[in-house]
Amino acid sequence: ETHESDPQASVFERFIFTINNATDAAFRTAIAEFVDLKELIRHVATEVAMADRDGFLGDYGMNNYYLYRVPENHLFRFVDWDKSEAFFSIDFSIWRNVQDVTAAKTNRLWARTMAQPDLRAYYLDFLSQCADSLSQVPPDSDPADGRG
């Protein structure tokens, strides 16, 4: 479903303006109108756990998701598509395209989210949960099957 008949472009414009211009003190409250930051963190952490180099923090910029606005309010959701670049590397940094890019290539929404100590801790905790999940062998697996 799209909002083609009533796109409300001003909502998207305010979203982008908020990312780039809200003061540090007001950022978290202001961005809450547009994004559930914990949901965004889970989204990004899942992509990072899968070593996806072509997603929200991708090597080619923000890529391979739809931005969906909930009809009842101004909340945006990031909906993934195309995971062809997932599982790219075993040594994929959890800070890839975050700490190793120029200011011009920095994802401002992510940088501002990670500047919040409790949200940074939430990201690291959720990544740990992802790693635990990826390393678990299903209980009904054949012990002779080395794949788990």
Side-chain angles (χ1 to χ4, degrees):
E1 185 177 331
T2 66
H3 298 290
E4 289 178 10
S5 62
D6 185 19
Q8 297 181 9
S10 64
V11 174
F12 185 73
E13 180 183 14
R14 285 195 348 265
F15 171 47
I16 300 304
F17 183 86
T18 300
I19 292 169
N20 290 297
N21 297 297
T23 65
D24 290 341
F27 173 74
R28 196 162 179 171
T29 302
I31 202 68
E33 177 184 354
F34 305 105
V35 177
D36 177 332
L37 291 177
K38 287 192 172 182
E39 182 177 290
L40 174 66
I41 290 168
R42 290 188 301 270
H43 173 102
V44 172
T46 302
E47 287 188 342
V48 169
M50 293 189 312
D52 186 357
R53 69 178 188 157
D54 195 21
F56 189 81
L57 298 175
D59 291 353
Y60 316 104
M62 297 172 70
N63 209 3
N64 291 330
Y65 64 88
Y66 294 104
L67 191 58
Y68 176 76
R69 184 176 45 83
V70 178
E72 301 81 40
N73 55 44
H74 300 151
L75 203 61
F76 288 98
R77 295 265 164 76
F78 296 89
V79 181
D80 284 339
W81 68 279
D82 185 15
K83 292 296 170 197
S84 64
E85 297 296 319
F87 304 106
F88 172 71
S89 172
I90 192 90
D91 60 353
F92 195 86
S93 170
I94 64 170
W95 302 114
R96 184 184 183 107
N97 296 326
V98 176
Q99 296 179 339
D100 59 349
V101 294
T102 64
K105 291 186 177 183
T106 297
N107 180 311
R108 295 273 300 148
L109 175 57
W110 189 248
R112 298 197 78 189
T113 300
M114 289 296 95
Q116 307 285 320
D118 63 314
L119 294 178
R120 184 181 181 98
Y122 184 81
Y123 170 65
L124 295 172
D125 290 343
F126 195 80
L127 267 175
S128 181
Q129 291 175 30
C130 289
D132 289 345
S133 177
L134 289 169
S135 64
Q136 290 178 0
V137 176
D140 59 346
S141 295
D142 180 353
D145 186 347
R147 298 173 294 172

